[in-house]
Amino acid sequence: MVKFYESFFNYDYPFPAVSLAYFLRYPNPYATHVLSTDVIDRTFDPSTQRLHTTRLHLKRSKIPPTVLKLLPKGILGASSDGGQSYILEKSVVDVREGWMKTETRNLEWTGILSIIEKQYYRRPSDGMATPGSSTRDLVEKTKKEGTDVTTTVTLLSRFGQAKLLKKRGETTAIHPISSTSSEEEEAPVRKGIFSSWSTSSLQRTIEAVGLRRTREALAKSKDGMTVVLERLRHGGLVQVLEGMQEDSHRTFGQDPNLPWKRAWRQGKDSGSEDSS
């Protein structure tokens, strides 16, 4: 079984600002579960003028209790209560044409539920791009230009599939295939209260729970992006970096007075003295 979810959204910010905010969106107040982000590959194609990036996100992750009840005890070990999981992100940005395509997928627990999220950010066809000077200009000079976003999510559960295929293979080897119903062919995944459930029923339930959580996560993702965009609008890249540092301090208890910030403040103070 497969579930699909699609949504459309418009950011009231120009494409250059939105594409920049996408790469600066962690940490933010709505993504305290994101522990780290690492760029593992980045290339620029001079012929197409496109930037290709692959990143790896480490996030706190917890399987919903509803899904845990469907799984055999001990299948996940200690990671079921509050472990960590990796998310692979790939993106392509074309600033000249005004679009960005992204794809994220989970690398953990894919046998239980695989989630692939694809997003397409694009400048409206009637919008005008203004490659600018400062980051604040990216927003201020094109206030009337927005960015359309199309999100498509595919959820697929393969839970119990291997056991089902194995059982079907054994059955076929002993008896010829007859015109039995699919419900009769499908083996129950676990004993007890769910013993009467077919494999497809369990998969549909897992996908439904995943879809509900995906919708909630997308709403928080929009809120987090908006926070970064507002910081960019009011204070440029400096305010974005300061906000990221403050969010890290609140989430992980890190010292906000790190060397980069002290160096920036010293440079700012010396610049003010020179101008005076």
Side-chain angles (χ1 to χ4, degrees):
M1 304 300 294
V2 181
K3 281 191 179 296
F4 297 96
Y5 174 74
E6 188 173 45
S7 67
F8 304 92
F9 185 73
N10 178 271
Y11 285 108
D12 190 24
Y13 304 86
F15 173 77
V18 174
S19 58
L20 176 61
Y22 180 84
F23 291 104
L24 299 175
R25 71 188 191 280
Y26 298 137
N28 70 68
Y30 295 92
T32 56
H33 63 295
V34 180
L35 302 175
S36 66
T37 296
D38 295 288
V39 177
I40 58 179
D41 184 64
R42 175 166 282 162
T43 58
F44 178 73
D45 188 339
S47 61
T48 61
Q49 297 290 299
R50 292 173 183 172
L51 179 67
H52 299 256
T53 305
T54 302
R55 302 197 295 177
L56 194 63
H57 305 291
L58 178 62
K59 301 183 179 183
R60 290 195 188 96
S61 181
K62 188 174 183 180
I63 294 181
T66 307
V67 174
L68 280 177
K69 292 178 181 178
L70 305 177
L71 306 179
K73 292 183 178 180
I75 190 173
L76 298 174
S79 64
S80 61
D81 295 329
Q84 301 173 354
S85 62
Y86 287 100
I87 306 296
L88 183 66
E89 171 196 289
K90 295 184 177 181
S91 62
V92 182
V93 185
D94 191 318
V95 178
R96 182 174 58 186
E97 296 182 5
W99 59 261
M100 175 174 67
K101 293 181 180 179
T102 70
E103 178 185 296
T104 60
R105 63 176 64 215
N106 60 307
L107 300 181
E108 313 285 346
W109 308 322
T110 53
I112 299 173
L113 182 63
S114 174
I115 303 177
I116 301 176
E117 175 189 304
K118 296 182 179 180
Q119 290 188 304
Y120 179 38
Y121 297 76
R122 64 190 179 280
R123 192 172 59 231
S125 56
D126 57 346
M128 295 296 293
T130 56
S133 36
S134 69
T135 52
R136 186 181 300 182
D137 288 339
L138 293 178
V139 179
E140 293 299 329
K141 290 186 179 180
T142 54
K143 274 187 175 180
K144 295 182 180 180
E145 179 190 339
T147 301
D148 297 327
V149 185
T150 301
T151 302
T152 306
V153 183
T154 304
L155 301 97
L156 172 62
S157 175
R158 297 184 179 88
F159 181 64
Q161 198 70 33
K163 185 176 181 180
L164 174 60
L165 293 175
K166 182 179 179 181
K167 183 175 179 62
R168 284 179 172 175
E170 293 173 350
T171 304
T172 304
I174 299 174
H175 303 288
I177 298 177
S178 60
S179 58
T180 55
S181 67
S182 60
E183 290 297 322
E184 293 174 337
E185 292 178 353
E186 291 182 340
V189 177
R190 63 177 293 181
K191 298 178 180 180
I193 188 173
F194 300 106
S195 61
S196 61
W197 285 34
S198 67
T199 299
S200 60
S201 297
L202 288 169
Q203 290 173 346
R204 283 195 297 268
T205 301
I206 293 172
E207 289 166 357
V209 174
L211 178 59
R212 185 177 68 248
R213 289 185 54 135
T214 296
R215 288 173 173 168
E216 295 172 355
L218 286 174
K220 290 183 178 180
S221 177
K222 293 174 186 175
D223 292 337
M225 280 280 289
T226 301
V227 168
V228 178
L229 286 164
E230 280 298 299
R231 289 170 176 172
L232 190 61
R233 166 173 285 173
H234 296 292
L237 187 57
V238 170
Q239 186 168 331
V240 172
L241 295 176
E242 286 188 331
M244 292 171 66
Q245 191 62 37
E246 292 169 359
D247 292 335
S248 293
H249 177 56
R250 282 193 295 265
T251 304
F252 308 112
Q254 296 177 355
D255 184 3
N257 193 29
L258 292 178
W260 75 267
K261 194 164 187 178
R262 291 198 301 269
W264 174 79
R265 283 175 174 167
Q266 291 171 0
K268 185 178 179 182
D269 293 339
S270 62
S272 300
E273 292 175 359
D274 294 339
S275 61
S276 60

